[in-house]
Amino acid sequence: MKRWEEIADATLGFAASAILFVMMALTFADVVSRYVFNAPLRGAFEVTELMLLVLIFAGLPLVSHADEHVTMDFIDKLLWPGAIAVLERVVQAVCAGIMFLLTWQVWLKAGKIASYADTTDVMRIPVAPFVYFMAAMIGLTGLVHFYRVFVPSRRRAAQAST
Amino acid sequence: MIETLIGLAAMMLLSFVRIPIALSMGIVGVVGYAYMRDWNWAPAFAMAQTQIYETGRNYTLSVVPLFILMGTFVARAGMAEELFRAAYAFLGHRKGGLAMATVVAAAGFGGPCGSSIATAATMAKVAYPSLKRFGYADYLSTGSIAAGGTLGILIPPSTMMVIYGIITQTNIALLFAAGMLPGLLATVLLCVAVRYMVWRDPAAGPPGERTPWPERWKALRGIGAITALFAFSIGGIFVGLFTATEGAGVGAFVSMAFALWRRSLTWRTLYDSLVEGARTTSMIFLILIGALMFGEFVNITSMPGDLKAFVGRFALHPFMVVAAIMVIYVLLGTAMEELSMILLTLPVFFPIIVHLGLDPVWFGILIVCVVEIGLISPPVGMNLFVLSTLIPEVPTRTVFRGVMPFVLIDCVRLAILVAFPIISTWLPSLMK
């Protein structure tokens, strides 16, 4: 991994982990506040919603960068190493293409939301900037895949979800 | 009907050439949707936009990162040592006692942890050295670790149940409640398998020393914290003290505080846990968005109606249908990665279950069980790979041999759960 790659990965990782930490702390504080002080935190609900949105899409470039998407790897056993290397690049190019398409679509969605100035119910937080952020992060994910077409990742990550 | 089958085939093909499964589902979902609207792309893209945006901005789904985080903290808090010691204190003096202690400790650890692979990996580190020291045969040791590890996704909370719940829109709290009794049943049956193996080959699992009662109580006190954590966060959800999301948030926070207090979690590992949690969350949500897009496509095809007609025409008994689906899953699970297997097949099988009027919660537990079997059935089982990596001195052949009795007893458990839905549905029925 190159130096700038490490820095970019760490920056985004820090942002995502900070959001996750705050989300957890906020949920805990909300429950404590409700039971101990009989006063639920106002707007905790919608702040959590927006944080989840940021968390998911800030993490997406990290997942792609670490090559952690769930894939089927039967074909690795059928092909010879040279062919796998070529296939790997083609797959990355396809992923990049799809991510760029989705970037465009989510950007359109953000535009729509901005045009009717949608805000959250309680705290009146404008929603559109968050959706633009989503689009930007999906775009960044596309760039990661595009980069991987030329610089393949060295390791195949183990799948840890089950 | 035919368009859904083509869609499924296309999805399989794309996944087969290693396109991430999430994207395969998304591509087929959007293209299929456009096709059903006479190649009109506007509604297809509008559907894609809506699915991406609304899945991201959905309060109930914040349960996912919080439970994942709780599992990561529990895994790092190092409570597995105490669990193993306590289980050993009560079971160690019996034949095969150490292997049974491994299974019981895995059940206790796998509860709050929620991931089978993490549970197996942790037990390999904690239990294997003791098993080795007491002269246990490698096949029994690795078999019980691999099989015990799978309990991580059956005993709540469980990432697999969360994924199933989201994709099929089944209540996650009910799924968690449903997993409790099958989890106990599984633990008991795995111990039975250990006893059987020791009966066949007494030298494989010699009894350890008897632990005197005062020591036992002391060992039991050592696991007070993890028990309290589990009882509080999961029990709190069951009795309605808080929602699943709140239970997850409280569970994550308390386990973090506990791990920091014990100094088994440093600021560095805390940070690592958070990054890991964030990445896993993104990965799961991408899958979720892809699966929902595919689901939107299936919904506007004639598939649901055709299936209804199909099952009606043959007047199949619902249990026969479920049994057939389970056989397919167990066979597929030997060769496929389990999460992919479930994601690719659920859009087809789940509507049948709903149409037959069967309980989606019960079916969810069965799904978790086939995933567990798949995780330990050779040749492709993640838990076996994890063990081969962590304990390289034991040959893969030995690991495969040792796990077979456990695979068989897991199949017996699956049959019991199919035959007696009440085991899965009784606890959730108390919550409604």
Side-chain angles (χ1 to χ4, degrees), chain A residues 14 17 34-35 45 49 56 59 63 68-70 72 74 76 88 91 98 105 112 127 159 161-162, chain B residues 17-18 21 27 45 49 53 57-59 116-117 159 241 246 271 274 279 282 285-286 335 337 339:
Chain A
F14 182 79
S17 55
R34 190 176 70 212
Y35 279 107
F45 179 86
E49 255 183 15
I56 295 166
V63 180
E68 279 183 340
H69 290 296
V70 180
M72 283 179 18
F74 283 136
D76 290 6
E88 182 67 39
V91 166
I98 293 169
Q105 287 300 321
K112 270 185 252 170
V127 178
Q159 296 174 343
S161 49
T162 39
Chain B
V17 296
R18 267 224 329 234
I21 291 183
I27 296 169
F45 281 133
Q49 290 177 7
Y53 171 65
R57 206 188 149 197
N58 182 333
Y59 178 78
S116 282
I117 291 165
T159 40
L241 205 58
E246 291 170 350
Y271 175 70
L274 286 165
R279 281 215 304 250
S282 295
F285 271 85
L286 192 68
E337 195 274 317
L339 187 57

Side-chain angles (χ1 to χ4, degrees), chain B residues 357-413:
Chain B
L358 297 170
D359 187 348
V361 172
W362 170 63
F363 188 68
I365 298 304
L366 300 184
I367 289 283
V368 171
C369 289
V370 292
V371 169
E372 284 186 86
I373 295 172
L375 284 170
I376 57 168
S377 52
V380 181
M382 277 309 288
N383 276 18
L384 305 178
F385 295 158
V386 169
L387 282 189
S388 296
T389 316
L390 290 177
I391 315 175
E393 64 268 29
V394 179
T396 313
R397 200 157 28 92
T398 311
V399 177
F400 282 8
R401 178 180 151 221
V403 85
M404 280 326 287
F406 296 105
V407 173
L408 292 180
I409 202 92
D410 274 358
C411 291
V412 170
R413 185 228 312 172

Side-chain angles (χ1 to χ4, degrees), chain B residues 148-160:
Chain B
T150 65
L151 295 172
I153 52 168
L154 183 58
I155 301 174
S158 139
T159 40
M160 200 60 224

Side-chain angles (χ1 to χ4, degrees), chain B residues 157-386:
Chain B
S158 139
T159 40
M160 200 60 224
M161 285 182 199
V162 169
I163 293 173
Y164 173 87
I166 292 169
I167 289 182
T168 63
Q169 306 194 327
T170 307
N171 185 323
I172 293 169
L174 292 180
L175 280 168
F176 283 178
M180 283 303 295
L181 292 180
L184 283 178
L185 175 69
T187 312
V188 171
L189 287 178
L190 289 180
C191 288
V192 169
V194 170
R195 287 310 289 243
Y196 169 78
M197 287 164 86
V198 178
W199 174 71
R200 284 286 306 272
D201 180 6
E209 283 162 37
R210 180 178 283 279
T211 312
W213 276 98
E215 295 282 314
R216 292 188 185 188
W217 293 126
K218 212 172 137 211
L220 213 51
R221 271 206 302 280
I223 62 168
I226 191 169
T227 316
L229 167 70
F230 180 73
F232 184 59
S233 61
I234 298 302
I237 297 172
F238 288 173
V239 300
L241 205 58
F242 26 70
T243 63
T245 303
E246 291 170 350
V250 171
F253 194 88
V254 172
S255 48
M256 178 195 70
F258 180 70
L260 282 174
W261 172 72
R262 282 176 50 118
R263 296 180 193 284
S264 50
L265 191 68
T266 60
W267 294 107
R268 178 73 222 173
T269 49
L270 169 65
Y271 175 70
D272 289 344
S273 309
L274 286 165
V275 176
E276 197 184 312
R279 281 215 304 250
T280 311
T281 305
S282 295
M283 186 205 73
I284 289 181
F285 271 85
L286 192 68
I287 292 173
L288 183 58
I289 292 169
L292 290 171
M293 286 182 187
F294 186 74
E296 288 279 328
F297 157 61
V298 172
N299 275 342
I300 59 167
T301 65
S302 59
M303 180 85 169
D306 291 342
L307 279 176
K308 204 179 285 184
F310 180 80
V311 177
R313 176 143 32 99
F314 291 97
L316 293 169
H317 193 276
F319 281 91
M320 290 306 295
V321 178
V322 172
I325 292 177
M326 291 303 126
V327 170
I328 294 173
Y329 272 140
V330 170
L331 293 179
L332 278 179
T334 59
M336 267 182 99
E337 195 274 317
E338 284 65 37
L339 187 57
S340 334
M341 171 179 88
I342 298 304
L343 292 171
L344 293 173
T345 53
L346 218 45
V348 181
F349 288 152
F350 190 71
I352 302 182
I353 297 303
V354 174
H355 169 64
L356 289 172
L358 297 170
D359 187 348
V361 172
W362 170 63
F363 188 68
I365 298 304
L366 300 184
I367 289 283
V368 171
C369 289
V370 292
V371 169
E372 284 186 86
I373 295 172
L375 284 170
I376 57 168
S377 52
V380 181
M382 277 309 288
N383 276 18
L384 305 178
F385 295 158
V386 169

Side-chain angles (χ1 to χ4, degrees), chain B residues 53-180:
Chain B
Y53 171 65
E54 293 192 345
T55 310
R57 206 188 149 197
N58 182 333
Y59 178 78
T60 22
L61 295 188
S62 55
V63 67
V64 177
L66 295 174
F67 267 127
I68 288 169
L69 198 56
M70 175 174 166
T72 323
F73 285 145
V74 169
R76 302 220 178 190
M79 294 183 242
E81 287 277 355
E82 282 86 344
L83 278 165
F84 184 63
R85 217 171 296 145
Y88 175 77
F90 282 86
L91 294 165
H93 60 283
R94 295 170 187 278
K95 279 181 196 152
L98 221 50
M100 287 193 280
T102 304
V103 168
V104 172
F109 181 78
C113 177
S115 151
S116 282
I117 291 165
T119 307
T122 309
M123 293 319 295
K125 274 178 244 155
V126 171
Y128 185 71
S130 303
L131 287 157
K132 191 91 195 153
R133 196 168 58 244
F134 281 89
Y136 272 60
D138 277 334
Y139 76 89
L140 178 59
S141 308
T142 51
S144 51
I145 294 170
T150 65
L151 295 172
I153 52 168
L154 183 58
I155 301 174
S158 139
T159 40
M160 200 60 224
M161 285 182 199
V162 169
I163 293 173
Y164 173 87
I166 292 169
I167 289 182
T168 63
Q169 306 194 327
T170 307
N171 185 323
I172 293 169
L174 292 180
L175 280 168
F176 283 178
M180 283 303 295

